[in-house]
Amino acid sequence: MANGLAEALTHYTDRQVGQSPFITAIEGLTILRSDHERAPTHTIIRPALCVVAQGEKWSTFGKQRFEYKAGQALVVGIEMPSVGRIVAASPREPFLGAVIEFTPAIMRDVMEHMDAPLKTSGTVGRGVFVTDFEGPLADCVLRLIRLLDTPDAIPTLHPLIMREICYWLLAGPRGGDIAGMTLANSYAQRVIGAIHCLRARFTEAIRIDELAAIAQMSPSAFHRQFKALTSITPLQYQKQLRLLEARRLIVSKDVNVETAAFEVGYESPSQFSREYSRMFGAPPRRDIRKLGAAPALA
């Protein structure tokens, strides 16, 4: 199935203009292709199934690093800052992958109609993991990619295929872990509610007590559950959001460094520059010059 998916992704990307990532006609489906290894890229990743059909990649969330290659997929259950890098790609055998975003509403609806108990790994709280990509799940993704060849069928068939994908994820060996991030009354879901607040108000100074109250936990329990789920602390999460948004403003909006720092919530440009350097490996102006000289990243 991996070869069939690689062929379908090659067929699609050969016809595209521009460079990866390719935003497709199917909402939430992004296709990746790279003929070379790439430098690490920082991004915010939403709940998604990240499939590799050819090549190899790693992604880090906090201090946790996940490696996945052809025949494997990264499952991300909550919106988190991430650093990713393609480490196996060549003109002869390019990296080929797809990112398929899914919504908790569909996952919950599918889960409510399942009779069999969901399997769990026994690993508590982790919001991301790698799984083998095979069988019915792989077939669903292949059909989703091939659906791009028949645009008129997308509105009718896309929702059905997404329900299938959610079903096979829930029926798989980590179904219980996914369910734990989806159920409204779970610890994970309550932390996710606080994450949404932090995401919406990341430029503000938000106290842990306030986030803990949203999650209906004590501050110590919230801090512990937050780190178990995301691998980073709430302060680190907010800091990464601020720096990613500042970088976006400088690159795409042509905002100067000092203005970007203030807009994302920093009061000290020197502190902003120090933290920016730690995250991206260079001070803001040097980093932006490097980005301007580099080819688009896959």
Side-chain angles (χ1 to χ4, degrees):
M1 186 60 68
N3 288 338
L5 182 58
E7 290 174 4
L9 292 170
T10 300
H11 173 70
Y12 175 83
T13 55
D14 281 346
R15 295 175 295 153
Q16 302 309 304
V17 177
Q19 298 189 34
S20 175
F22 299 105
I23 308 301
T24 72
I26 296 177
E27 184 178 1
L29 172 62
T30 302
I31 291 178
L32 309 175
R33 176 172 177 166
S34 179
D35 295 340
H36 304 281
E37 296 180 13
R38 296 293 187 179
T41 57
H42 296 72
T43 188
I44 299 289
I45 186 166
R46 291 190 284 268
L49 177 69
C50 307
V51 176
V52 176
Q54 187 169 278
E56 188 173 348
K57 185 176 183 180
W58 59 251
S59 295
T60 62
F61 298 83
K63 294 182 179 180
Q64 290 186 320
R65 174 165 160 162
F66 300 87
E67 298 178 355
Y68 47 113
K69 56 188 177 181
Q72 294 183 312
L74 183 76
V75 181
V76 181
I78 60 174
E79 184 174 315
M80 289 190 286
S82 171
V83 181
R85 185 180 186 186
I86 293 170
V87 293
S90 69
R92 185 173 180 178
E93 291 190 2
F95 175 89
L96 295 165
V99 178
I100 304 165
E101 295 181 11
F102 50 80
T103 62
I106 295 177
M107 193 74 73
R108 280 194 294 269
D109 187 57
V110 171
M111 189 165 47
E112 288 172 1
H113 291 83
M114 296 180 70
D115 296 326
L118 300 176
K119 300 175 184 177
T120 179
S121 67
T123 302
V124 179
R126 184 170 294 177
V128 57
F129 58 85
V130 173
T131 185
D132 289 334
F133 178 70
E134 57 189 2
L137 180 60
D139 177 66
C140 288
V141 175
L142 178 57
R143 286 188 284 116
L144 186 67
I145 302 303
R146 288 177 173 168
L147 192 58
L148 292 167
D149 291 332
T150 53
D152 291 345
I154 290 174
T156 301
L157 299 183
H158 171 227
L160 301 178
I161 296 175
M162 287 306 303
R163 288 184 65 85
E164 284 189 72
I165 288 174
C166 290
Y167 174 86
W168 292 117
L169 284 171
L170 289 167
R174 303 294 294 267
D177 299 329
I178 296 172
M181 293 181 283
T182 305
L183 289 170
N185 61 351
S186 69
Y187 281 118
Q189 190 62 30
R190 283 150 57 187
V191 172
I192 290 170
I195 287 175
H196 289 166
C197 175
L198 185 56
R199 181 79 173 91
R201 299 168 54 192
F202 69 92
T203 62
E204 303 175 23
I206 302 179
R207 296 166 53 244
I208 291 294
D209 289 358
E210 183 179 355
L211 295 173
I214 293 171
Q216 303 173 44
M217 299 178 188
S218 68
S220 60
F222 171 73
H223 194 279
R224 184 171 62 253
Q225 292 287 341
F226 190 103
K227 192 169 184 180
L229 197 60
T230 67
S231 301
I232 54 179
T233 67
L235 180 60
Q236 290 169 330
Y237 189 103
Q238 182 184 47
K239 185 183 298 184
Q240 290 187 31
L241 291 181
R242 287 181 169 183
L243 293 171
L244 283 166
E245 175 62 10
R247 197 188 206 196
R248 186 191 70 82
L249 290 172
I250 297 169
V251 172
S252 63
K253 301 295 185 181
D254 198 26
V255 173
N256 66 50
V257 172
E258 290 75 14
T259 299
F262 288 124
E263 285 197 17
V264 300
Y266 279 89
E267 297 180 358
S268 166
S270 60
Q271 180 187 3
F272 169 75
S273 184
R274 285 195 302 272
E275 294 185 353
Y276 189 105
S277 298
R278 280 196 291 267
M279 181 163 173
F280 298 116
R285 291 181 177 83
R286 190 192 309 166
D287 177 57
I288 300 309
R289 285 197 299 270
K290 181 175 63 177
L291 287 176
L297 299 177

